[in-house]
Amino acid sequence: MALVPRFGARLQERTGPRLPVGAGLGLIGAGLLLVSTADAGTPYAVYALYLLVLSVGTGLCAPALTLTVVAELPAHQAGLGSGLNTAAREIGAALGVAVVGTVLASRFHGDPRDPAQIAAFTDATGGGAAHGGRGAAAGLGRRGGRVPEHRAEGVAHGPGPGCSAHRRGRMLAL
């Protein structure tokens, strides 16, 4: 995940945010689907590969999403927008884990070592990941509108008139 954001930012500069965000969300969905198939007998190297797919997806879409948020703000508010974007992402992740954990704990009745219950849980998790993957695929096909202008031209890493995607009018609103 440390190396992929640079590639994602360059890809966004060439193609706009739709491709890195869609591909990243697709890889996140695929990674979650792969992780849902892991069990106690899964070798660690295979599990690490599944997590790598998940991390590559996150690394692809995170810079594009952040840059799209910051690019819509005036230059003097870019720092505030970036901070709020990061805070919202962290709060969403924490709440997501807490809510899913609470729902699973409240619905689970039985022995967590029972193979039938483990299989049912794995199937349900895989089904949820498949729905997420279909949502990402639908997002790739969505037509975005053109962002009228980049107001964050003064931002050091924000796209401005010198950005090739900006010149071609390819920065798309998600």
Side-chain angles (χ1 to χ4, degrees):
M1 192 167 140
L3 302 175
V4 177
R6 285 184 172 196
F7 171 74
R10 279 189 253 139
L11 182 63
Q12 179 183 356
E13 188 175 300
R14 287 194 311 267
T15 66
R18 183 181 298 154
L19 181 61
V21 169
L25 291 176
L27 284 171
I28 289 171
L32 289 173
L33 185 62
L34 289 170
V35 168
S36 74
T37 64
D39 59 13
T42 304
Y44 182 75
V46 173
Y47 188 71
L49 180 65
Y50 295 170
L51 292 178
L52 181 66
V53 171
L54 190 64
S55 295
V56 167
T58 303
L60 263 180
C61 71
L65 293 172
T66 301
L67 190 58
T68 303
V69 167
V70 173
E72 285 299 307
L73 296 171
H76 70 278
Q77 291 183 332
L80 176 66
S82 176
L84 286 173
N85 181 55
T86 301
R89 188 179 324 153
E90 294 296 327
I91 290 170
L95 284 176
V97 168
V99 168
V100 168
T102 301
V103 168
L104 289 175
S106 70
R107 301 274 180 177
F108 184 77
H109 304 290
D111 183 11
R113 294 173 296 238
D114 180 16
Q117 290 179 0
I118 292 171
F121 177 78
T122 303
D123 291 344
T125 306
H131 286 299
R134 283 193 292 272
L140 275 173
R142 198 178 107 209
R143 306 290 281 177
R146 188 176 158 200
V147 175
E149 68 179 74
H150 292 288
R151 291 178 287 225
E153 294 170 4
V155 178
H157 299 291
C163 172
S164 61
H166 184 275
R167 286 192 303 271
R168 293 189 311 262
R170 301 281 307 266
M171 291 299 293
L172 304 175
L174 294 175

